[in-house]
Amino acid sequence: DSQRMKKLAVDKYWQSRDFDPVRCSFYDSKKEKIFIEKLKDRDKKHGGDHHKRLPMSVRESEGGFSDIISKEVKDNMRFKAWERRQNRYKNRPGARKIEQSQKERAGKLEQLQEQRFINRFT
């Protein structure tokens, strides 16, 4: 009966303790290998999204995706997004029509004011 109790105590102990704090490793070599693989995967991804946490003015600046001196593009996706933002107004078809109508209206108003100014003195 004491052997059964001892075995039960040992089983309970090993169910809750699988890490050796002195050696800083798992007792089970399979768990240790799995843990090391997870660390390697995490290390590969570490710092990949650091630019997302930067302020927008820094994140969206030209120096963030290209080398300032050599003008070589480091991050092509971010460069294309920046280029789209720069050309946003030019690429909108409706904007040109609105701008043209505003120019025409402003030109007519300017001619009208000039004509009124001339008519005042005649």
Side-chain angles (χ1 to χ4, degrees):
D1 193 40
S2 68
Q3 286 289 12
R4 189 173 61 86
M5 292 294 280
K6 192 174 184 180
K7 183 176 178 356
L8 182 65
V10 167
D11 288 343
K12 270 189 166 182
Y13 176 83
W14 286 114
Q15 283 177 354
S16 65
R17 291 167 179 82
D18 59 351
F19 187 75
D20 183 6
V22 176
R23 293 185 322 173
C24 293
S25 65
F26 286 95
Y27 290 117
D28 188 10
S29 62
K30 290 179 186 176
K31 279 189 178 181
E32 182 69 23
K33 287 179 184 177
I34 291 170
F35 176 72
I36 289 175
E37 288 299 319
K38 284 183 183 178
L39 281 180
K40 286 180 182 177
D41 288 342
R42 189 190 70 187
D43 288 346
K44 287 178 187 175
K45 297 175 189 174
H46 179 71
D49 294 338
H50 74 281
H51 67 275
K52 289 183 180 178
R53 292 190 306 267
L54 295 172
M56 190 169 193
S57 59
V58 175
R59 187 175 59 221
E60 306 296 333
S61 68
E62 289 181 60
F65 57 80
S66 64
D67 187 7
I68 297 172
I69 297 171
S70 69
K71 304 291 184 192
E72 182 181 331
V73 176
K74 293 186 270 185
D75 190 349
N76 205 21
M77 255 178 52
R78 287 174 53 202
F79 172 70
K80 288 183 179 181
W82 175 82
E83 205 170 40
R84 276 194 308 272
R85 279 193 308 277
Q86 297 299 318
N87 297 328
R88 187 180 309 164
Y89 183 73
K90 294 176 188 173
N91 293 336
R92 289 189 324 179
R96 286 189 289 266
K97 292 177 186 175
I98 292 170
E99 185 180 304
Q100 188 63 32
S101 69
Q102 286 176 342
K103 275 186 175 180
E104 289 172 4
R105 194 170 64 231
K108 288 177 184 177
L109 182 62
E110 188 179 339
Q111 286 176 354
L112 180 65
Q113 287 175 345
E114 190 176 312
Q115 187 64 38
R116 286 179 180 168
F117 181 74
I118 292 170
N119 288 343
R120 231 186 285 168
F121 296 108
T122 57

